[in-house]
Amino acid sequence: MYFAALLARTEDGWEASDTELDDVETLSDLTDLAREAAAEAGGAEDETVLVFIEQEDAWFGVVRVDGEEDPRIYVSDAAAAARSAYGEILLTDEMLGRDPDDSTDDLDALDLDGTEDGESETADEGESDATDASGEAVPAGPLGDRQILSDLGVPEKELLVLESGDALNEIAEILGAAEVLETVR
């Protein structure tokens, strides 16, 4: 089960709205949605908007949009998020340390024994990494901007110890937005 909400900071405090991500296919779509929420909340164009996305007890993500700046992203468990349609939106090539212009031909990477170059013939079943839609490995654990909420009162150390399921409520509590977030849950 997924939960997604937008928190827009205005002169009067935080305003929350739940959001449907059905029409969101890219990070750009999500960023546009966040900017629209800021405008609808009556905030200035350069106000902060936070997008909270959570898959119950598996992972959570925070996308921060400050005006026209590029979005900043934090995902609590990249491997878990990679197995999710909404998580894949957040796991950009840049976050994963990949060159988006790296266009190697997939057929060239195949070996005659049916494995890709660099893969062993037997998979390690205890492996905690997942793969994304392109079949590339995604590391387990937190990924992204760990300082994303530091200036709002959630330092990196505190962000890293938050556990899925309660994390978004704890973040909202620190921001002073727990009541408004609860109204959209």
Side-chain angles (χ1 to χ4, degrees), residues 9 31 41 47-48 58 62 77 80 82 88 110 134 146 150 177:
R9 187 164 60 179
T31 303
E47 291 293 348
T48 297
V62 178
D77 186 339
E88 285 183 355
L110 291 177
S134 69
R146 296 174 181 199
S150 292

Side-chain angles (χ1 to χ4, degrees), residues 2 55 58-59 75-85 87 91 128 130 138-141:
Y2 289 95
Q55 183 180 3
W59 66 275
V75 176
S76 66
D77 186 339
R83 293 185 286 270
S84 155
L91 298 174
S128 60
V138 176

Side-chain angles (χ1 to χ4, degrees), residues 19-166:
T19 186
E20 288 293 324
L21 298 178
D22 294 341
D23 295 331
V24 174
E25 295 179 10
T26 65
L27 181 58
S28 180
D29 293 343
L30 187 61
T31 303
D32 291 344
L33 186 69
R35 289 185 178 121
E36 289 170 18
E40 289 174 11
E45 287 184 24
D46 62 342
E47 291 293 348
T48 297
V49 179
L50 301 175
V51 181
F52 287 168
I53 301 174
E54 168 182 79
Q55 183 180 3
E56 191 174 344
D57 297 329
W59 66 275
F60 70 92
V62 178
V63 178
R64 179 176 176 163
V65 179
D66 294 304
E68 292 300 315
E69 292 181 29
D70 288 340
R72 297 167 57 192
I73 307 163
Y74 173 81
V75 176
S76 66
D77 186 339
R83 293 185 286 270
S84 155
Y86 297 133
E88 285 183 355
I89 293 169
L90 305 181
L91 298 174
T92 64
D93 285 334
E94 183 179 342
M95 270 184 73
L96 295 169
R98 298 183 188 150
D99 181 3
D101 297 327
D102 186 14
S103 57
T104 59
D105 189 347
D106 289 338
L107 292 176
D108 290 341
L110 291 177
D111 202 349
L112 293 177
D113 66 2
T115 63
E116 292 188 35
D117 286 344
E119 281 186 357
S120 65
E121 290 187 38
T122 57
D124 180 7
E125 301 215 8
E127 202 172 295
S128 60
D129 286 356
T131 57
D132 64 8
S134 69
E136 293 193 46
V138 176
L143 190 63
D145 185 348
R146 296 174 181 199
Q147 299 291 321
I148 191 170
L149 300 170
S150 292
D151 64 324
L152 298 174
V154 185
E156 175 182 353
K157 186 176 181 180
E158 201 166 320
L159 184 63
L160 291 172
V161 298
L162 293 175
E163 297 197 16
S164 297
D166 228 15

